[in-house]
Amino acid sequence: MSSSFRRLKCISMLDSLPKTSSHIQQIHAQLIINGLKSPPLLAKLIEHYCGSSHQHIANHAHLMFQYADKHDLFLFNTLLRCCQPKDSILFFQSAFSEGDMVFDDYTYIFILGACARFPSTSTLLLGTQLHARIVKHGVMSNIMVPTTGIHFYASNKDIKSARRVFNEMSERSSVTWNAIITGYSSQRAGHKQYAFSALLLFRDMLMDESGVMPTDTTMVCVLSAASQLGMLEIGASLHGFAEKTMCVPEDDVYIGTGLVDMYSKCGCLESALLVFKRMNQKNVLTWTAMITGLSIHGKGEQALAFLYEMGANGMKPNAATFTSLFSACCHAGLVQEGIDLFCDMNKKLGVMPNMQHYGCIVDLLGRAGRLKEAYDFIMGMPVRPDAVLWRSLLGACKIHGDTAMGEKVGNLLLQLQEQSFDDLAPRSEDYVALSNLYASAEWWIKVETVRKEMKVRGFLNKAGCSSVQTANLNAL
């Protein structure tokens, strides 16, 4: 049997096998026995190994790269593309330090993509250095390189650098426009300002002379921006634009979900329900968006009914769905229903509670004035409670005038903050909250004690501020 035939046979077998099949390792052994080192064949094996959910199997992908006769750039790029982001970054840094490989534009696309999926201070520094190297070596001619750079900067919350890369591009594709619009609409800090910038970019996209047209991804992003701003007129206009130029939005699950979210958050629940009912296909995000909308509008019982309707349609809720359901229970005062739901979410529906879900129950009990139950719930948690839970209970104590419980919770919160290495702002707010609790009970001596303690520790009270939206709708 010729080596070419054996190679083709192995490739065919790899294409037909599931990623978790134990036969992959047998094929790997056959490659070694027969001395087959074809890059396409090794690349397919790398893809299969990287797709495994078991780390010890995924590690075999690196062995495949080392098995090659030389450091093949195609295999190197395949490994960068298929590995988990953190592993890709470490692998690239190791190869870069050795200095025996010449990278191409695909290398930079894959490593910048990994840095975008694993945002941190260190990856931002690495990506910035890569950007400088890309400019120096003139690799920007491939439009996907700067486009991935935009995605990288936006994911690492450096939207100014993302915009600078975008502005410097002489040619832009729909993917490029989507990257910058998504980058603006996904920023949290100062989100209204960035959301408005996303809408302005969408206008610029429509007016661009290149004739690049929006895609479903574009529409989802601008609908999200409109919902963040609460601009119903803009959202309705986007709905009409999608219907006239792209498709019937109810036939696209992602645009339809975006419309449900937009109409709900812009205060038009009936329109959201109408779009939801007309949708031919719904996923868990669609159901969650509708439940969130009902929650926002205080329709707790209707939101819970949607959970059971969701199950009847063969759709399983996820963690975000339960967060919205608990919020609905909070807004509607459905305390017992919320507690029952929490008990059932893991046992009957197979969703493990996370810290946010625990916080929702504390908020639910706190709003109802059941402070002792909330305290016992926190103390009985199987995981260590964070500061957010204690702050929620402290706020409830102030509202319901339980100064004794509030003092107990406040001291626990301050002790927790002393053990952490967070910045000083949360600690300042916690001292102020405890001081306000004492002031509401007219315990002025303790108020003075807390304020003096803040001064000794150098904690400053953050000044309050407010904002007014002045954006002109006609500007769009």
Side-chain angles (χ1 to χ4, degrees), residues 212-249:
V212 176
M213 292 302 295
T215 65
D216 55 349
T217 301
T218 319
M219 298 311 301
V220 170
C221 291
V222 291
L223 283 170
S224 173
S227 70
Q228 291 177 49
L229 293 167
M231 290 182 165
L232 179 59
E233 292 182 37
I234 296 296
S237 298
L238 292 171
H239 186 178
F241 174 84
E243 189 134 358
K244 289 180 180 179
T245 62
M246 299 178 65
C247 64
V248 179

Side-chain angles (χ1 to χ4, degrees), residues 23-170:
H23 294 144
I24 295 175
Q25 294 184 36
Q26 297 177 17
I27 296 175
H28 185 175
Q30 288 296 319
L31 293 181
I32 297 174
I33 293 172
N34 292 281
L36 297 177
K37 297 186 178 182
S38 167
L41 181 54
L42 296 179
K44 281 191 171 292
L45 205 51
I46 287 173
E47 291 178 358
H48 278 277
Y49 276 135
C50 289
S52 174
S53 58
H54 302 288
Q55 185 61 43
H56 69 281
I57 295 178
N59 290 337
H60 292 333
H62 292 271
L63 297 177
M64 296 308 304
F65 178 72
Q66 296 170 6
Y67 173 68
D69 287 332
K70 57 182 180 179
H71 286 179
D72 185 278
L73 184 59
F74 172 66
L75 293 179
F76 180 80
N77 288 343
T78 302
L79 199 54
L80 282 184
R81 174 173 58 87
C82 297
C83 278
Q84 293 296 317
K86 186 177 180 180
D87 294 334
S88 294
I89 293 169
L90 293 174
F91 180 56
F92 175 83
Q93 288 174 324
S94 175
F96 182 82
S97 63
E98 292 175 4
D100 58 353
M101 289 197 69
V102 178
F103 306 126
D104 63 4
D105 47 356
Y106 292 101
T107 309
Y108 293 114
I109 291 170
F110 297 145
I111 188 60
L112 282 173
C115 290
R117 299 193 304 276
F118 190 70
S120 67
T121 304
S122 59
T123 53
L124 177 59
L125 177 60
L126 172 62
T128 304
Q129 293 171 341
L130 287 171
H131 183 196
R133 183 180 176 88
I134 289 168
V135 174
K136 180 180 178 180
H137 291 273
V139 196
M140 300 290 280
S141 57
N142 184 336
I143 193 173
M144 284 307 299
V145 175
T147 297
T148 310
I150 292 170
H151 175 51
F152 153 71
Y153 278 121
S155 298
N156 282 272
K157 309 304 178 187
D158 188 357
I159 194 65
K160 290 183 179 179
S161 295
R163 186 59 181 267
R164 185 168 59 251
V165 174
F166 176 82
N167 290 340
E168 292 172 353
M169 294 178 67
S170 57

Side-chain angles (χ1 to χ4, degrees), residues 180-243:
I180 191 66
I181 292 173
T182 302
Y184 270 102
S185 63
S186 62
Q187 301 298 309
R188 293 185 179 179
H191 68 279
K192 290 193 174 182
Q193 170 195 346
Y194 293 131
F196 191 71
S197 295
L199 293 175
L200 291 176
L201 278 165
F202 176 69
R203 180 200 62 183
D204 294 342
M205 181 182 186
L206 297 179
M207 298 173 64
D208 191 73
E209 295 179 354
S210 64
V212 176
M213 292 302 295
T215 65
D216 55 349
T217 301
T218 319
M219 298 311 301
V220 170
C221 291
V222 291
L223 283 170
S224 173
S227 70
Q228 291 177 49
L229 293 167
M231 290 182 165
L232 179 59
E233 292 182 37
I234 296 296
S237 298
L238 292 171
H239 186 178
F241 174 84
E243 189 134 358

Side-chain angles (χ1 to χ4, degrees), residues 259-279:
L259 286 169
V260 170
D261 179 69
M262 182 276 297
Y263 279 122
S264 297
K265 291 180 179 176
C266 289
C268 199
L269 185 61
E270 290 302 319
S271 295
L273 284 165
L274 185 61
V275 172
F276 179 84
K277 291 176 182 178
R278 287 180 175 177
M279 289 179 66

